[in-house]
Amino acid sequence: MQTIIGVRFKKAGKIYYYSPGQLDIELGDNVIVDTARGTECGVTVLAPREVEDSEIVKPLKVVHRIASDQDLQRLAENREREKEAFAVCEQKIADRGLAMKLVEVEYTFDMNKIIFYFTADGRIDFRELVKDLAAVFRTRIELRQIGVRDEAKLRGGIGCCGRPLCCASFLGEFAPVSIKMAKDQNLSLNPTKISGICGRLMCCLKYEEECYKNGEMCNNCQLHQTEAPEQGSRVRTDEGHGRVISLNEQRRTATILLDNTRTVVKTWDDVVAAEVEDDVVVEVESDEPQRRPERQRRSASAGNEEHDSRSQRPRRSRNRGERNDRRPRRNGGEENEERQTRSRRPRDGHRRPRGNAKSRSRDNRSGENRSADRGPQPGDK
């Protein structure tokens, strides 16, 4: 266990742990501490307390001193210098024609570094800009590209709810927000309604996500142990049976479409899960044979018997090799030749005339004409 205090350097920034050492530090005191950027002045937001060693990132730095009046005056002077540096940097950006937007300028407490925050659509080559700024301010220059959420956090503003932005008021870190959270809460998926002024999904979608997760309940849900009915399930109410079509997690109500086509809204306590779907199916199946005529029932029973007999037959293998192996092969093909010769012979035993049909018909007609020219013969009757 170690004693720590929480220090914040911006209004809604992260909280960093420091050791108070031998100093008597209270909540709200300004303290001078060492950071990765140099010496900084922060505000104590967590009073001295003991925490586990696993929650501390070692080595734990110690607070130098409590800020004096001179330190606070120097901090105010740095704020004035930041405004001047902002105007100079904007002018340099315009002169270079860079596609970047300056958001904020920050001086460190010891004035050893100036940090310029900007946004851009892609990567920017600002090496020449850094040289121009270093020639003006004669100190270390750092340009840091940030996203649209960080821009809204630095600038602040009013959200669609009419209150100051959460990220600029109290959110120390951005929580991941997904479109699935809006779907779970039955919100409209219109981007203009679920997006903040930064153009991203609103951070407040994360606040009530625990109420919609399966298996997890918030403090309000723990007071009412009744579980929510599943959407699409059949339930029983005091007005009859129906199906759940929508849920309201905040009011703990369910919209139910009754079997008589009425729509009612009931609380979760008034809804009971009803397993009546199987009973209905059984009743329908039991009544169906009685409604059929006698002839249809007989045909159905005959079809079932035929289907059973077919199912009992052994299936034929589709493998051609196996099928040919089961059939007995004929001897050398002699029977095939004999069958072909039989098929060629005419049934009356005479030889078939040669030539096509037109030549045969022409020969017949010419024969009749020749017989007419000869006249009657002795053998003719």
Side-chain angles (χ1 to χ4, degrees), residues 88 92 128-139 141:
V88 172
K92 296 297 182 180
E128 298 298 330
L129 178 62
V130 172
K131 294 179 182 179
D132 296 341
L133 296 176
V136 174
F137 298 104
R138 301 293 180 177
T139 185
I141 304 296

Side-chain angles (χ1 to χ4, degrees), residues 5-8 15-16 26-29 43-47 49:
I5 62 171
V7 179
R8 180 178 283 174
I15 299 176
Y16 298 90
E26 297 180 358
L27 185 65
D29 290 344
V43 181
T44 305
V45 294
L46 294 178
R49 64 186 63 186

Side-chain angles (χ1 to χ4, degrees), residues 78-133:
N78 290 344
R79 298 294 176 265
E80 296 296 330
R81 294 190 183 96
E82 290 174 358
K83 296 179 182 179
E84 298 176 0
F86 190 92
V88 172
C89 184
E90 278 190 334
Q91 184 62 36
K92 296 297 182 180
I93 291 173
D95 295 340
R96 291 288 179 180
L98 300 176
M100 54 189 296
K101 178 183 177 183
L102 187 62
V103 177
E104 186 175 320
V105 179
E106 180 181 358
Y107 263 91
T108 57
F109 181 76
D110 52 5
M111 298 180 62
N112 288 332
K113 183 190 294 186
I114 308 176
I115 304 173
F116 296 88
Y117 299 95
F118 70 95
T119 59
D121 294 336
R123 299 189 64 178
I124 303 296
D125 185 6
F126 49 76
R127 288 176 292 182
E128 298 298 330
L129 178 62
V130 172
K131 294 179 182 179
D132 296 341
L133 296 176

Side-chain angles (χ1 to χ4, degrees), residues 271-307:
V271 175
V272 180
E275 299 178 357
V276 298
E277 206 165 334
D278 297 338
D279 299 337
V280 173
V281 173
V282 171
E283 292 178 0
V284 172
E285 291 180 354
S286 61
D287 294 339
E288 188 175 0
Q290 298 178 3
R291 296 175 184 173
R292 293 180 178 179
E294 185 69 22
R295 185 177 299 174
Q296 293 183 2
R297 289 202 300 271
R298 289 179 180 177
S299 62
S301 61
N304 294 334
E305 292 177 358
E306 183 179 358
H307 178 70

Side-chain angles (χ1 to χ4, degrees), residues 117-322:
Y117 299 95
F118 70 95
T119 59
D121 294 336
R123 299 189 64 178
I124 303 296
D125 185 6
F126 49 76
R127 288 176 292 182
E128 298 298 330
L129 178 62
V130 172
K131 294 179 182 179
D132 296 341
L133 296 176
V136 174
F137 298 104
R138 301 293 180 177
T139 185
R140 294 178 59 188
I141 304 296
E142 179 180 350
L143 271 75
R144 185 175 300 177
Q145 186 173 357
I146 60 176
V148 290
R149 284 194 169 188
D150 296 314
E151 179 185 3
K153 184 181 182 67
L154 294 175
R155 288 184 173 272
I158 303 297
C160 60
C161 58
R163 298 178 59 87
L165 297 179
C166 299
C167 56
S169 302
F170 59 87
L171 285 182
E173 298 180 0
F174 289 106
V177 184
S178 63
I179 193 65
K180 185 177 181 298
M181 297 179 182
K183 293 181 180 179
D184 295 341
Q185 299 177 32
N186 294 327
L187 297 177
S188 174
L189 299 183
N190 189 354
T192 59
K193 294 184 178 180
I194 59 176
S195 300
I197 64 174
C198 60
R200 301 291 188 267
L201 293 174
M202 292 188 295
C203 298
C204 55
L205 294 176
K206 181 70 175 178
Y207 298 162
E208 299 175 359
E209 177 65 15
E210 295 180 358
C211 297
Y212 296 88
K213 288 183 179 178
N214 296 328
E216 296 184 8
M217 294 188 298
C218 60
N219 296 332
N220 186 23
C221 298
Q222 291 177 358
L223 299 177
H224 309 277
Q225 295 297 333
T226 305
E227 296 182 358
E230 295 183 2
Q231 187 169 351
S233 61
R234 290 190 60 83
V235 294
R236 185 177 72 251
T237 63
D238 55 354
E239 299 187 21
H241 293 80
R243 190 178 299 276
V244 179
I245 58 177
S246 65
L247 298 173
N248 191 325
E249 300 284 346
Q250 287 77 20
R251 298 182 179 180
R252 301 179 63 81
T253 58
T255 304
I256 303 170
L257 178 62
L258 299 178
D259 295 338
N260 56 4
T261 69
R262 288 183 55 212
T263 303
V264 295
V265 179
K266 298 291 183 180
T267 61
W268 295 353
D269 299 333
D270 298 336
V271 175
V272 180
E275 299 178 357
V276 298
E277 206 165 334
D278 297 338
D279 299 337
V280 173
V281 173
V282 171
E283 292 178 0
V284 172
E285 291 180 354
S286 61
D287 294 339
E288 188 175 0
Q290 298 178 3
R291 296 175 184 173
R292 293 180 178 179
E294 185 69 22
R295 185 177 299 174
Q296 293 183 2
R297 289 202 300 271
R298 289 179 180 177
S299 62
S301 61
N304 294 334
E305 292 177 358
E306 183 179 358
H307 178 70
D308 295 339
S309 63
R310 290 179 181 177
S311 61
Q312 294 175 1
R313 296 177 184 176
R315 291 186 178 180
R316 294 182 179 179
S317 176
R318 292 187 178 181
N319 192 347
R320 187 173 297 175
E322 296 179 2

Side-chain angles (χ1 to χ4, degrees), residues 342-358:
R342 283 203 303 263
S343 62
R344 293 174 184 173
R345 295 174 184 174
R347 294 182 180 179
D348 53 1
H350 298 284
R351 178 180 291 182
R352 294 180 180 177
R354 296 180 179 179
N356 52 15
K358 292 184 179 181

Side-chain angles (χ1 to χ4, degrees), residues 314-332:
R315 291 186 178 180
R316 294 182 179 179
S317 176
R318 292 187 178 181
N319 192 347
R320 187 173 297 175
E322 296 179 2
R323 182 176 59 189
N324 295 335
D325 293 342
R326 286 200 298 269
R327 292 183 179 180
R329 296 185 178 181
R330 303 185 184 274
N331 297 328

